[in-house]
Amino acid sequence: MAAERLIYLPLGGAGEVGMNMYVYGYGRPGNERYILVDVGVTFPDMDGTPGVDLIFPDIDWIAERVDRLDAIFITHAHEDHVGALGHLYPRLTVPIYARKFTAHIARLKMEEHGYDGTEVTTVGPMPEMIEAGPFKVGFMPISHSIPESSGLIIDTPAGRVVHSGDFKIDETPGLGEPFDVDAWGNLGPVKALICDSTNVFTRHPGKSEATVGPEIERVVREARGMVVATTFASNIARVKTLAEAGAAAGRSVVLMGRAMKKMIGAAVETGLIKDFPPTITPEEARDVPREYLMLLATGSQGERRAASAQLSRGKFQGLEMKAGDTFIFSSKTIPGNEVSVGRITNALSELDVDVIDDKMADIHVSGHANRPDLERMHQLVQPQFLVPMHGEHRMLREHAKLGEAGGVASVIAPNGTMVSLSGNRPEVVEFVETGRLYLDGSVQVGALDGVVRDRIRMALNGQVVIGVLIDEEDEPLTDTWAELRGLAELGQSRAPLQDVLEEEVGQFLGRADSKTVADDDRLEEQVKRIVRNTCLSEIGKKPEVFVLISRLAA
């Protein structure tokens, strides 16, 4: 009988930034007990996922084994770690554990989906440990860009695993717990470190959150007109710093956007913030001279429905930007969002608004450990081996090389790669099928279901609907009709494309043999071919074609 083993399996977040979900298992192969770490989302884009609302990890693998899943642990309250919880919980249905602030956000997620929030249990930091099957799990405070972030200390019969979560080494974070060097240096012996890889290519040491305050204060103090600042709403320390800079400059502070109000409200309710500057409502702000206003807006990544984008296009909640105002991006643009952020920046420029970002002033620091900080983490924890997580494949690969260079056995494990942590080296033992689920409106669809693929094809190629009528004696009527969407009205012949298609299909029906007319599938295929070929010669496109065949009853 096979020996028991300890395994690690990422279902999301490894080979990408976002959509974090990690499985740990212990037991005999095929009969392990499991815990799940984080249940996150990633966000769609118009190029690859048009019309999609959110993207989740495909949880088929763990859902099929839910009878052996003992618990879910949430490291922190960023959307890419907790955002899918309410959506996917109906297929998971096990206890959820998180620290106070994260648990508050998790309960809100659950309540949005009809749960009462009792599924989430609030736990304290280490030395408190939660027993879940063969695992004992503790929440180890760690600094990040959201309060109460935690690494997980996972004790198993095969040894101790440290799951870093998202982190930076910041001993003066401004809000929340500082990085405790002594505590992290006294965790040994550690079998494996599963570690954040996001900033492995950034070669200078990370800066503390405390360093941005004076520069933000200077920028706000020197600004004229109304000031609008955007950052991640979850970066509560930064939001507080911005608000304090506004108050110090004699400005009334306004929170703009649902996420901004939600996060600050949660921080106040859970006791994380006790001295946030007073705020006024957007309605009250309309009566305040603009040179005495500071708006804190959502939308630092260019989200088109967020407050920042709406302000760049015109009014939002009765407030608008004008010439001489200042807009501050106290954030870093996530790779892939450059176009949407650039669109806002240019729209603001057209309004004669001054835009200041992190390239122009020291008004942002990352929430992730840079390369020297990752090396320091390796040295503090001294793991037997390293498994990089949370990052694109190139980041995982570079982090693994960094570990090996420091004498730590390392392995590259993107989504779907099951790694045994039981031996003297991490060993890939299996590959499982992973993928994505799309929230499309109010339903979840698989990435391979064809819904989004068809939407992209229609967007690229246009669409033609052709109606064919067959009479009572199985004779086709040549008076067909066509409807076009997303196609040029006139083709090379300079005749309306709709008329050309109706004529071509009508001529085909007039000469079609009885065998073709009697077979719907055969008739549909022939009509599609004629429509595509005609469109190709007329407009150089092969559209998506839908054929509606109606047969009159005898």
Side-chain angles (χ1 to χ4, degrees):
M1 185 176 291
E4 293 178 325
R5 66 180 182 180
L6 172 64
I7 61 107
Y8 158 82
L9 170 65
L11 298 180
E16 63 193 344
V17 175
M19 205 176 74
N20 293 276
M21 179 179 283
Y22 308 94
V23 176
Y24 291 91
Y26 183 81
R28 290 190 175 87
N31 199 39
E32 295 96 343
R33 304 294 304 184
Y34 302 106
I35 58 172
L36 193 61
V37 175
D38 292 335
V39 186
V41 302
T42 192
F43 298 95
D45 60 74
M46 285 303 292
D47 290 334
T49 47
V52 169
D53 297 280
L54 290 172
I55 304 174
F56 314 133
D58 184 345
I59 62 169
D60 280 354
W61 189 90
I62 191 63
E64 290 168 2
R65 296 161 177 80
V66 72
D67 59 318
R68 290 186 273 128
L69 179 64
D70 290 305
I72 297 170
F73 295 87
I74 307 296
T75 59
H76 64 283
H78 275 149
E79 286 294 299
D80 62 332
H81 293 259
V82 73
L85 191 60
H87 295 279
L88 300 181
Y89 190 75
R91 299 176 64 194
L92 299 173
T93 60
V94 296
I96 303 162
Y97 298 95
R99 294 183 62 199
K100 187 177 181 181
F101 177 75
T102 306
H104 181 87
I105 299 298
R107 288 191 187 97
L108 294 177
K109 299 288 183 188
M110 297 295 284
E111 289 167 5
E112 288 173 2
H113 293 268
Y115 296 96
D116 61 11
T118 57
E119 303 81 7
V120 182
T121 299
T122 300
V123 297
M126 287 187 70
E128 183 176 344
M129 302 285 280
I130 304 299
E131 291 195 26
F135 302 95
K136 290 184 179 179
V137 182
F139 287 81
M140 183 74 167
I142 199 165
S143 44
H144 185 41
S145 56
I146 191 171
E148 281 193 357
S149 292
S150 297
L152 297 179
I153 310 305
I154 305 171
D155 287 338
T156 80
R160 171 167 282 186
V161 175
V162 174
H163 182 100
S164 76
D166 293 4
F167 80 98
K168 64 183 295 187
I169 294 179
D170 190 345
E171 297 178 52
T172 54
L175 182 67
E177 298 136 320
F179 186 88
D180 189 331
V181 174
D182 291 336
W184 281 93
N186 287 288
L187 291 174
V190 172
K191 183 76 170 178
L193 171 63
I194 317 299
C195 193
D196 182 3
S197 307
T198 310
N199 282 357
V200 68
F201 288 105
T202 305
R203 294 185 175 270
H204 60 76
K207 295 181 180 180
S208 171
E209 181 65 30
T211 64
V212 302
E215 186 70 354
I216 287 175
E217 288 181 11
R218 180 193 67 79
V219 170
V220 174
R221 184 176 63 250
E222 294 177 358
R224 298 293 176 263
M226 185 171 70
V227 174
V228 179
T230 186
T231 189
F232 296 99
S234 57
N235 192 343
I236 295 169
R238 184 73 51 75
V239 175
K240 185 170 182 284
T241 296
L242 289 164
E244 289 171 343
R251 295 175 179 270
S252 297
V253 176
V254 186
L255 299 179
M256 304 285 283
R258 188 172 63 90
M260 193 69 72
K261 297 171 186 174
K262 173 183 171 183
M263 279 293 175
I264 298 303
V268 171
E269 190 171 336
T270 56
L272 279 172
I273 296 180
K274 296 182 174 64
D275 56 350
F276 195 84
T279 62
I280 62 174
T281 67
E283 291 75 21
E284 293 169 330
R286 296 171 197 169
D287 298 324
V288 177
R290 59 192 311 102
E291 63 269 21
Y292 295 109
L293 279 178
M294 181 163 181
L295 315 185
L296 303 182
T298 55
S300 66
Q301 300 306 302
E303 301 93 325
R304 60 180 300 276
R305 289 184 291 183
S308 294
Q310 296 203 51
L311 284 167
S312 76
R313 295 193 298 265
K315 289 185 178 181
F316 182 62
Q317 295 184 345
L319 300 172
E320 61 181 317
M321 302 209 72
K322 295 182 178 179
D325 290 346
T326 301
F327 194 101
I328 301 170
F329 280 94
S330 184
S331 56
K332 180 181 179 181
T333 301
I334 295 172
N337 294 337
E338 295 88 352
V339 172
S340 54
V341 171
R343 190 176 294 120
I344 290 176
T345 302
N346 282 303
L348 292 168
S349 180
E350 291 174 9
L351 295 173
D352 204 16
V353 170
D354 294 324
V355 177
I356 299 173
D357 61 20
D358 64 325
K359 297 181 183 67
M360 303 166 66
D362 294 328
I363 55 176
H364 175 70
V365 292
S366 175
H368 294 272
N370 293 351
R371 188 185 189 93
D373 307 314
L374 293 173
E375 290 178 300
R376 188 180 180 195
M377 183 61 122
H378 300 172
Q379 293 160 3
L380 284 171
V381 176
Q382 296 186 348
Q384 185 177 349
F385 41 79
L386 167 75
V387 184
M389 66 159 182
H390 197 284
E392 298 168 358
H393 192 280
R394 66 190 182 98
M395 299 169 185
L396 305 185
R397 181 171 177 268
E398 185 68 13
H399 196 177
K401 288 166 63 177
L402 182 66
E404 292 283 354
V408 183
S410 306
V411 66
I412 303 169
N415 294 340
T417 307
M418 183 185 293
V419 178
S420 172
L421 305 177
S422 297
N424 293 322
R425 284 190 65 90
E427 179 187 2
V428 176
V429 293
E430 189 179 340
F431 294 97
V432 306
E433 188 173 335
T434 58
R436 296 181 164 205
L437 286 172
Y438 298 145
L439 180 66
D440 193 48
S442 60
V443 298
Q444 295 177 23
V445 298
L448 301 178
D449 288 357
V451 174
V452 174
R453 182 183 66 241
D454 288 347
R455 192 174 293 157
I456 292 171
R457 289 167 63 179
M458 285 188 282
L460 292 172
N461 302 319
Q463 173 185 301
V464 174
V465 178
I466 289 284
V468 174
L469 188 62
I470 310 297
D471 69 15
E472 298 92 331
E473 298 178 357
D474 280 344
E475 291 292 330
L477 303 181
T478 58
D479 188 16
T480 62
W481 57 268
E483 286 191 6
L484 282 58
R485 293 289 186 273
L487 296 170
E489 293 184 5
L490 298 177
Q492 296 288 347
S493 66
R494 309 312 299 166
L497 180 59
Q498 178 178 345
D499 294 349
V500 173
L501 291 174
E502 290 174 348
E503 177 66 22
E504 290 290 329
V505 173
Q507 288 184 15
F508 161 73
L509 293 174
R511 63 178 183 270
D513 59 64
S514 59
K515 186 179 292 187
T516 298
V517 173
D519 186 336
D520 281 1
D521 292 339
R522 190 170 178 176
L523 181 60
E524 178 181 350
E525 186 56 40
Q526 292 287 339
V527 171
K528 282 185 176 181
R529 182 178 58 80
I530 290 167
V531 170
R532 287 181 178 140
N533 288 342
T534 301
C535 286
L536 183 62
S537 62
E538 284 285 320
I539 61 171
K541 283 278 190 181
K542 281 191 173 183
E544 299 302 301
V545 182
F546 300 88
V547 182
L548 305 179
I549 300 173
S550 300
R551 295 183 181 273
L552 300 177

